[in-house]
Amino acid sequence: MKIVSDSPLKHRLSVEKHDRDNAGLTYVYPVVSRRAGGVSVGINLNPNNACNWRCIYCQVPDLERGAAPHIDLLQLEDELRWMLQQIVRGDFMQSSVPEEARRLNDIAFSGNGEPTTCKQFSQSVEIVGRVLEDFGLVGKIKLVLITNGSQLGRPEVLSALENMRQLNGEVWFKFDRAPDGRFNPVNQVVLSSTQVARRMASAAARCSTWLQTCMFARNGEPPSDEEIVAWLDFVKARLDEGVALKGVLLYGLARRPMLPEGAGLSALPAEWMEAFKARIEGLGLEVRLSL
């Protein structure tokens, strides 16, 4: 494994920079996360820049349709141990992190594509659990899965979520727009209400689950009220069915989209985001807003 021993980062961390290769590693990268409110250690199981979705606000350069490649699990573990050594026992926080963000919040399966398309996802969760145990971090920080939910019909993925629950885990379930059975212009996938409802319920039944929702203007126009009502109605229906959602992580654009489809996107005014937050709270859910 190639480690940069004298300086672990190419540049200091900030909300604006989420480079996956900042630490010179293949699978592990640190970021300052708006939604986490501190340092998040990312695990990138998609170093091939492949994802089965193509969200128009995506910030992955040269994104391709596809699944995660075969992962070198020994290298993944070595990189994670090295990164935590820098953060927990070294001077990483003082040398590389803004003062207001100097807290380790979580380890997050995120990266350059959908992490659960990795055939070794379950084994990767086991590795993270072992490393957390060795560093005395179980129960002290979160283990987060940022997912579009597309693989939650696979038994091994569901089993991994149950394992995550024992490790203070959270699922951040991507839910940008309500499914209607037609082509989704935001995530560029075909989704049915039945599919998404089943996957959302499966996640919430096995691990603490938050919805993760990105809102933005397109060609200067905010989402229509029809889109917003459809989103609210879908979530309310899940709550009425007893799906135990923890809340909603509502966020806007902080960095420039990298796909051609994202050329006309821009951040929404704070007033619009606050008004939508209030409508979600009207469903009885906690909302964490990141502008």
Side-chain angles (χ1 to χ4, degrees):
M1 177 179 60
K2 182 180 180 181
I3 294 292
V4 181
S5 59
D6 55 343
S7 176
L9 297 185
K10 296 178 181 178
H11 54 70
R12 284 174 60 86
L13 299 186
S14 69
V15 169
E16 291 76 22
K17 289 183 178 291
H18 276 200
D19 298 356
R20 307 292 195 249
D21 64 347
N22 192 15
L25 307 176
T26 300
Y27 303 117
V28 175
Y29 63 98
V31 297
V32 170
S33 170
R34 290 179 298 154
R35 282 164 282 170
V39 173
S40 175
V41 176
I43 295 180
N44 182 16
L45 299 181
N46 304 74
N48 59 344
N49 292 2
C51 187
N52 60 345
W53 285 21
R54 189 176 170 87
C55 303
I56 61 174
Y57 55 80
C58 183
Q59 285 134 15
V60 175
D62 303 317
L63 184 74
E64 297 181 357
R65 291 272 190 179
H70 181 81
I71 297 299
D72 185 331
L73 294 173
L74 291 177
Q75 181 178 347
L76 169 61
E77 182 168 353
D78 283 347
E79 290 186 1
L80 181 58
R81 288 184 183 278
W82 181 83
M83 193 74 255
L84 288 180
Q85 179 73 25
Q86 304 300 312
I87 293 172
V88 176
R89 299 167 184 167
D91 66 350
F92 178 89
M93 291 294 192
Q94 289 70 35
S95 65
S96 302
V97 180
E99 184 174 359
E100 67 276 9
R102 289 175 184 169
R103 56 180 291 273
L104 177 59
N105 184 79
D106 61 65
I107 294 175
F109 287 99
S110 180
N112 291 4
E114 172 53 41
T116 60
T117 61
C118 176
K119 300 301 183 183
Q120 299 148 289
F121 175 68
S122 181
Q123 294 164 279
S124 299
V125 171
E126 292 174 2
I127 286 172
V128 174
R130 183 163 63 245
V131 174
L132 287 173
E133 181 74 30
D134 290 348
F135 276 83
L137 292 173
V138 175
K140 296 181 181 179
I141 65 173
K142 297 286 187 181
L143 174 56
V144 175
L145 167 64
I146 301 176
T147 180
N148 59 34
S150 62
Q151 305 300 302
L152 293 183
R154 292 169 50 201
E156 63 271 24
V157 174
L158 296 178
S159 177
L161 295 194
E162 294 174 352
N163 191 9
M164 284 184 58
R165 182 179 58 199
Q166 306 304 316
L167 298 168
N168 199 26
E170 283 186 354
V171 174
W172 294 3
F173 189 106
K174 185 186 296 291
F175 185 68
D176 297 318
R177 301 295 184 273
D180 59 9
R182 295 183 289 113
F183 185 76
N184 183 327
V186 172
N187 307 121
Q188 302 196 82
V189 290
V190 177
L191 299 170
S192 73
S193 294
T194 300
Q195 284 176 313
V196 178
R198 182 173 62 247
R199 294 166 181 172
M200 196 178 288
S202 292
R206 290 166 174 82
C207 193
S208 178
T209 298
W210 291 74
L211 300 184
Q212 179 183 246
T213 299
C214 184
M215 287 289 169
F216 47 81
R218 193 169 192 181
N219 298 321
E221 295 295 325
S224 67
D225 196 60
E226 180 182 5
E227 288 178 279
I228 296 305
V229 169
W231 190 101
L232 292 167
D233 286 349
F234 187 91
V235 175
K236 182 179 185 301
R238 306 290 75 74
L239 296 174
D240 289 346
E241 291 170 356
V243 177
L245 298 172
K246 295 297 183 182
V248 177
L249 304 170
L250 175 62
Y251 68 108
L253 294 183
R255 296 178 299 281
R256 180 175 60 88
M258 299 296 288
L259 301 184
E261 299 95 312
L265 306 188
S266 59
L268 287 161
E271 295 79 8
W272 191 99
M273 298 290 282
E274 290 285 357
F276 184 42
K277 175 177 181 285
R279 294 178 76 172
I280 300 171
E281 290 172 334
L283 300 177
L285 287 171
E286 179 183 350
V287 182
R288 297 177 183 173
L289 174 59
S290 300
L291 296 174

